[in-house]
Amino acid sequence: MKMLRLMHVEDDEDIREVAKMALEFSGQFEIIQCPSGEDAIERAPEFKPEVLLLDVMMPGMSGPTTLQHLRKIDGLQDTPAIFMTARAQPSEIEELKAQSALTVVVKPFDPITLGDQIIAALKG
């Protein structure tokens, strides 16, 4: 199976580390991690992610704002996006899905199933 290029945008270093280990362990992803939306926007054109995994609340630029900017980059208009958030009220999840997110992963997430959750969301 071909590995998917996944861009993970998350300001919390511990969460980045856990997610990276979980996603690498799944063997399904080639991962690039960005500590901020600004960093993601700078690095996305070269990396050409096939999946976006975005933290919602970050200092500076939020996940939804980062996604709006990433959508303006050639080739990323339709890239599947998944948000991660600790704020998991149904209304907030619906709002995130309305911003073209495939699904919302709730923090704290289960590292063992993270890769499978992403693949399941991509398969719809």
Side-chain angles (χ1 to χ4, degrees), residues 75-116:
L76 296 186
Q77 290 82 358
D78 302 314
T79 302
I82 296 169
F83 283 118
M84 283 184 125
T85 184
R87 298 178 56 172
Q89 297 302 319
S91 61
E92 289 168 305
I93 290 174
E94 285 314 306
E95 198 176 302
L96 292 169
K97 286 185 177 177
Q99 297 176 44
S100 79
L102 276 185
T103 192
V104 177
V105 174
V106 177
K107 293 177 187 175
F109 58 91
D110 178 354
I112 291 158
T113 62
L114 183 61
D116 292 337

Side-chain angles (χ1 to χ4, degrees), residues 37-59:
E38 293 84 353
D39 188 49
I41 292 159
E42 195 175 297
R43 296 170 74 187
E46 192 179 321
F47 184 67
K48 298 179 178 54
E50 296 167 289
V51 185
L52 300 166
L53 183 60
L54 304 161
D55 181 23
V56 173
M57 291 190 299
M58 297 184 285

